[in-house]
Amino acid sequence: MTQDESSGQVMSQGVMSTGEGMRIFPDVEACIDCGGCVVACKRTWDREIDNQRIDITTMAEGVAGPQGENADKTGRLAAGENPGETSLPMQCYHCENAPCVSVCPTNALQKEDDGFVSVHEDLCVGCQYCLSGCPFGAPQFPDSNDGAAQIFGTGGIMDKCTGCRERQEVQKGPACAEECATDAILVGGAGEIADELEARDSQPFFNDEAMAIIFGEEDAQLFQ
């Protein structure tokens, strides 16, 4: 459902549509590492202090790019140049070709008909294969022994970003995206996200392989 079809429920300009077929995707040109998304997620879902369904990864911290702190990071990266300090919201992007789903031996992780990647807790045995399979660091094991499954089944139940599926079912955007001060977390269909990045004169931060995982081979072409 688009913003125009809702009744003012969707607040953030980064949330273009919700529900079936949506993706969550970061705009690194907009992220300022304020941590608002982390706080919004924890408050909305009452997560423990050490259980983060979204985190901000900062690369080249303190390093200025050739044109200063906020100069075309993605363009410079694509050109093989130093992008300078870059902050990236990392969470489950509910990938079209989700590696976590492929490697899960018990089908605890499933790609649902509406596009969300969900965890079926009753099937999870804590093997942590998904942690190795996901290139974005989404799987969390808050009940594991220091995050290491020494023998099969000791990793605890996997937890991750749900995409705020319950909120989206009532035409609200994910809490992280709605409360992002700079609209750095984009929510919508692949075409909507590609168009929004182009309008912002931004580009994806990920390489072609990662884009094909998130959006699928065909929709990944929309970003080129």
Side-chain angles (χ1 to χ4, degrees):
M1 178 172 285
T2 65
Q3 282 184 302
D4 291 338
E5 292 171 328
S6 68
S7 56
Q9 299 270 12
V10 178
M11 297 185 296
S12 169
Q13 292 182 0
V15 181
M16 294 157 286
S17 64
T18 58
E20 185 173 353
M22 75 86 214
R23 293 287 181 275
I24 300 175
F25 196 74
D27 178 7
V28 299
E29 303 287 1
C31 182
I32 57 173
D33 192 15
C34 69
C37 55
V38 178
V39 174
C41 179
K42 284 185 176 292
R43 185 183 66 246
T44 301
W45 300 110
D46 193 25
R47 306 313 300 166
E48 300 85 354
I49 191 169
D50 59 347
N51 178 208
Q52 296 191 171
R53 290 178 169 178
I54 181 171
D55 197 9
I56 301 174
T57 298
T58 299
M59 293 155 280
E61 188 170 2
V63 177
Q67 301 299 320
E69 293 292 340
N70 299 303
D72 190 19
K73 300 177 187 299
T74 52
R76 292 190 175 279
L77 187 68
E81 301 175 6
N82 169 30
E85 180 173 309
T86 303
S87 295
L88 177 68
M90 299 288 282
Q91 62 199 105
C92 178
Y93 300 131
H94 297 269
C95 301
E96 179 65 25
N97 298 315
C100 61
V101 173
S102 299
V103 301
C104 180
T106 63
N107 293 324
L109 280 157
Q110 297 180 20
K111 181 74 172 174
E112 308 292 356
D113 291 341
D114 57 9
F116 289 86
V117 175
S118 63
V119 182
H120 294 253
E121 294 185 358
D122 58 322
L123 297 176
C124 181
V125 296
C127 67
Q128 298 193 358
Y129 287 2
C130 55
L131 185 60
S132 299
C134 176
F136 310 113
Q140 305 294 314
F141 289 85
D143 298 325
S144 67
N145 180 19
D146 296 328
Q150 296 180 4
I151 60 174
F152 186 82
T154 62
I157 302 300
M158 194 270 252
D159 184 67
K160 70 173 187 65
C161 160
T162 65
C164 286
R165 190 178 186 181
E166 295 89 341
R167 290 172 58 88
Q168 294 202 43
E169 287 173 350
V170 293
Q171 291 81 58
K172 293 182 179 181
C176 60
E178 285 197 349
E179 298 195 32
C180 178
T182 59
D183 294 325
I185 299 175
L186 305 179
V187 180
E192 292 173 314
I193 293 173
D195 289 345
E196 180 64 19
L197 287 175
E198 184 177 7
R200 296 180 180 193
D201 196 25
S202 184
Q203 301 177 48
F205 186 76
F206 299 122
N207 62 23
D208 291 345
E209 182 179 1
M211 293 297 288
I213 289 174
I214 297 172
F215 293 102
E217 294 284 352
E218 183 175 347
D219 282 348
Q221 301 300 315
L222 297 172
F223 296 84
Q224 296 182 357

